[in-house]
Amino acid sequence: MEITLQVNGKPRTVDVDPRMSLLDLLRERLGLIGAKKGCDHGQCGACTVLIDGRRALSCLALGVAVDGSEVTTVEGLANGDELHPLQAAFIEHDAFQCGYCTPGQLCSAAGMLGEPGPSAVTEDILVDPDLTPEEIRERMSGNLCRCGAYVNIVSAISEVAR
Amino acid sequence: MKPFDYTRADSAAQAVREYAPGTMYLGGGTNLVDLMRLGVAEPERLVDVSRLPLDTIESVRDRVRVGAAVRNTDLAVDPMIRARYPMLARAVLTGASGQVRNVATVAGNLLQRTRCAYFQDVTRPCNKRRPGSGCPAIAGDHTNLAILGSSEACVATHPSDMAVALAALEAEVHVTGPGGDRIIPMPGLHRLPGEEPERDTVLEPGDLITAVELPPPPAGATVYRKVRERASFAFALVSIAAVLDVGDDGVVAGCRIALGGVAHAPWRAERAEQALIGGPATGEAFLRAAEAELEQARPLPRNAYKVPLTRNLIVSTLEGLAS
Ligand SMILES: Cc1cc2nc3c(=O)[nH]c(=O)nc-3n(C[C@H](O)[C@H](O)[C@H](O)COP(=O)(O)OP(=O)(O)OC[C@H]3O[C@@H](n4cnc5c(N)ncnc54)[C@H](O)[C@@H]3O)c2cc1C
Ligand code: SF4
Ligand code: FES
Ligand code: FES
């Protein structure tokens, strides 16, 4: 099937088998290898991208099902040579070791910062809370890091959330 | 993955017309795509219902109608849901991760399949996946599986958090299908395994969920609590959605208890509810009610821990609501 996506601002038309995930489409057909395949089952967050501005797992999305959507990958976060504030904060706070989970962490954090409303740890469900470290940990819990860089990831995101 | 055809439906009626044996509806795909990759689900055709115009939350007189294609995130952050049904918002927020909730639909959440490891492993027998092949979980790893309402054929649990809150709220599931339209009151959507564990729900082939309708919120205090192995991004070992209405005289006027993680369906603890209504709202009464409910528990060696866990969760939750 032929589908068209806006990927990092550019229209891309590809002929895909309905079985192909968005993750494989990005990596194998478009050469965008930022999004990583950690588990291919929704359990690690390494494949996180933004679909129509919302963070989502590209391993669980069929390419055909996102036909017509706007997709932003880690390659599309920076503005030319100028790093996205989250990218700069990750460097400054040493928020990665091997870096494998980092593209997913960055896209997830970028999406998360635009998500209002309570989380599972918010005391008063009627309130849109400040992004305390506790809130950030809960909201980022879908992104695992084998290297355990969590503490620095939270401080990097906190800096941008302020 | 086996090859399949893909089509997008524009209306509920069209989706149902497109249905034929071998067809499955596709919501957000966060469960179905995974099961297809595992070889557990092998549809010949997917009809994508995730973009149907069933994506609004509307108040209709004193009720609230939630479209089947509303994303889990949008349900949980909706101001009306947070104000009137905080237990539902909480239950949804404790499920999965932000990325999954952004995509997962209300209907897909209700119809997600068990996380039993044998069900997900096509190299193993499993009565739910291949009827008549056996249930290796009973002699094997059933640590996370059912203690109530299970059968010789299957001890799986239903993994949804949202469904547990909907069972306590007595929501109605609106369905359309080849056989016409109907309304299924929760907790009646999901069934116990009996001798047909391949059937998770009372839905018939081709049935499409169009909406979930919430009746006016029950009187009293409500809460959703979830016990799990890590603080976030894990399925429930046991969860509870509870409503407790205590009169000025200290007598329980109303009580609803729905349990997750303990059965093939969200489990309404009717014995406990009946034991409490009309009696005192004391810790002792809560304990007796929990014990009355759990007398029917049939735990297996590795999930016997769920019996005291569930008892303690019921007691401490009701104590919290009473104070
Ligand atoms: C890592 C991970 C952790 C998770 N943790 C939790 C958790 O803690 N708690 C929890 O509750 N859930 C959890 N989930 C499950 C998640 O909530 C479900 O995957 C999601 O809700 C399914 O919704 P969907 O729209 O993506 O459904 P899909 O995957 O698209 O579909 C699921 C089923 O519903 C059917 N279907 C979809 N829409 C309709 C319709 N309108 N009418 C009839 N049939 C329909 C499909 O045919 C399919 O059989 C987790 C998932 C993952 C991947
Ligand atoms: S418990 Fe049910 S789902 Fe699990 S192996 Fe047994 S039959 Fe299959
Ligand atoms: S690769 Fe998608 S969540 Fe792990
Ligand atoms: S930095 Fe290595 S997995 Fe996170």
Side-chain angles (χ1 to χ4, degrees), chain A residues 1 18-19 21 40-45 48 54-57 59-62 64-69 104 108 115-128 137-139 141-144, chain B residues 1-6 8 26 28-31 33-34 36-38 46 48 50-51 71 73-74 76-77 79 82-83 86 89-90 93-94 96-103 115 228 230-233:
Chain A
M1 288 177 75
R19 288 173 288 183
S21 67
D40 222 16
H41 293 293
Q43 296 167 354
C44 73
T48 305
R54 293 168 68 143
R55 57 183 171 153
L57 300 175
C59 73
L60 295 184
L62 294 173
V64 287
V66 295
D67 184 15
S69 303
S108 184
E115 287 169 6
S119 79
V121 299
T122 309
E123 200 84 34
D124 181 351
I125 195 107
L126 298 176
V127 169
D128 290 2
R137 278 195 292 274
E138 165 59 26
R139 287 161 197 262
S141 69
N143 291 84
L144 305 191
Chain B
M1 218 188 267
K2 274 226 319 234
F4 59 88
D5 293 330
Y6 170 91
R8 224 178 246 187
L26 177 70
T30 60
N31 188 222
V33 171
D34 191 23
M36 287 165 64
R37 190 165 291 144
L38 291 165
L46 288 182
D48 190 342
S50 68
R51 306 201 191 194
R71 309 290 171 161
T73 298
D74 299 324
V77 305
R82 283 153 73 185
R90 285 264 179 226
L93 289 171
T94 64
S97 62
Q99 291 97 314
V100 173
R101 292 192 299 270
N102 276 347
V103 173
R115 304 307 278 206
R228 43 184 162 176
R230 57 183 185 202
S232 185
F233 199 31

Side-chain angles (χ1 to χ4, degrees), chain A residues 95-102 105 144-149 153:
Chain A
F96 48 87
Q97 287 171 41
C98 77
Y100 195 79
C101 70
T102 313
Q105 302 280 2
L144 305 191
C145 172
R146 295 278 308 259
C147 302
I153 292 172

Side-chain angles (χ1 to χ4, degrees), chain B residues 14 52 73 114 123 129 136 138 164 205 210 220 246 253 274 277-278 294 297-298 303 306-307 314 318:
Chain B
Q14 191 215 339
L52 292 185
T73 298
T114 184
T123 67
R129 182 165 31 74
I138 292 175
V164 179
T210 53
V246 182
Q274 289 312 318
I277 293 171
L294 291 164
R298 295 286 170 271
N303 66 9
K306 282 195 182 183
V307 177
I314 294 173
L318 294 176

Side-chain angles (χ1 to χ4, degrees), chain A residues 4 35 41 44 47 51 56 58 78 87 98 101 105 109-110 113 119 129 132-133 135 138 156:
Chain A
T4 301
H41 293 293
C44 73
C47 66
I51 302 178
S58 59
Q87 291 173 313
C98 77
C101 70
Q105 302 280 2
L113 292 175
S119 79
T132 60
E135 286 283 352
E138 165 59 26

